[in-house]
Amino acid sequence: MSGDADFRLDGKRAVVTGAARGIGRAIAERLVLAGAEVIVIDRDEAEGNATAQAIMATGGKAYFIALDVTDPGMVADVVETIYRQHGPVDVLVNNAGIVRNAPATDMSFEDWKAVIDIDLGGVFHCSQAFGRRMVAAGRGTIVNVSSMCGEIVVHPQPQVAYNAAKAGVNLLTKSLAVEWAKSGVRVNAVAPGYVATELTLRGRSNPDWFGTWMSMTPMGRLGEPHEIANAVLFLAADASSFITGTVLTVDGGYTAL
């Protein structure tokens, strides 16, 4: 294969978690444009269904399945349903995530657990359940959506749980990549910087936070969801066939300072 064909996903089936909105929706839309059939996964049934319907309205092939990624039993059931009703999955994108901004001295256990369970636990549960099938089949690609916060501590907002979870995602990515490399399954991650989504809305509406963010981003702007989606497509497609265990940072230069 060569040229544009390396970036195509024709005939492939992809699952994207947290795909109802924001970066997840942009990823689902981009993979469909590259030829994939996409299964939209989210806890929000209304928004998830709306995303799948919007994709189908443009001629793409998409389905919605409700899922709480923190529940390993539910994840296992959904994987079984997908393989039985739709067929094998070629690409898994673990995008579901939340953030809780609170000083470490004040953060409640409930907030800590919610972030860790979704942002790290959910990535493991889905990677394990889908990964079992991929390893058995001898093929498959997993792309985890991490964050530049998995590498550095951003400020001025406090977000200890989010930072810890994303650092865990980075090493989980590398661990799975090494463990499954000889099976034909590749595992990589994309680490966005500040992106114009609902997740960053609180910070964007705080002049002190937003001013600091932009002053520390060499490109001087927020990323757009489609820019993260393009990086995910690269890692999901054959264009990156010799890449595994990599965390690709897409941050407008923030971590280069």
Side-chain angles (χ1 to χ4, degrees), residues 184-206:
V185 177
R186 296 189 297 111
V187 187
N188 292 290
V190 170
Y194 292 116
V195 181
T197 65
E198 288 185 20
L199 195 67
T200 61
L201 185 60
R202 179 181 177 188
R204 289 187 283 130
S205 62
N206 183 318

Side-chain angles (χ1 to χ4, degrees), residues 35-184:
E37 170 188 314
V38 172
I39 298 172
V40 173
I41 299 287
D42 208 279
R43 291 190 301 183
D44 189 327
E45 294 192 32
E47 288 290 330
N49 268 310
T51 293
Q53 292 294 329
I55 290 172
M56 288 189 287
T58 64
K61 197 170 184 180
Y63 310 93
F64 170 72
I65 298 178
L67 173 64
D68 178 352
V69 298
T70 69
D71 184 334
M74 187 181 294
V75 171
D77 288 344
V78 164
V79 172
E80 175 64 28
T81 297
I82 290 172
Y83 273 72
R84 185 178 66 254
Q85 296 184 356
H86 303 289
V89 171
D90 303 285
V91 177
L92 167 66
V93 181
N94 286 306
N95 170 74
I98 62 170
V99 65
R100 295 287 187 269
N101 297 115
T105 51
D106 300 330
M107 174 167 276
S108 68
F109 174 71
E110 290 75 19
D111 278 348
W112 167 269
K113 189 173 187 301
V115 174
I116 298 299
D117 284 354
I118 294 175
D119 294 20
L120 179 56
V123 174
F124 175 72
H125 299 321
C126 292
S127 295
Q128 181 186 52
F130 283 99
R132 285 186 181 122
R133 302 276 191 148
M134 291 178 174
V135 168
R139 61 184 177 86
T141 303
I142 297 174
V143 184
N144 299 321
V145 178
S146 181
S147 168
M148 66 179 181
C149 301
E151 178 184 351
I152 60 169
V153 179
V154 297
H155 68 97
Q157 74 276 18
Q159 51 185 47
V160 61
Y162 185 80
N163 296 348
K166 293 304 186 179
V169 169
N170 289 352
L171 201 55
L172 174 61
T173 298
K174 293 175 182 291
S175 297
L176 295 178
V178 171
E179 188 172 332
W180 294 343
K182 291 184 179 179
S183 73

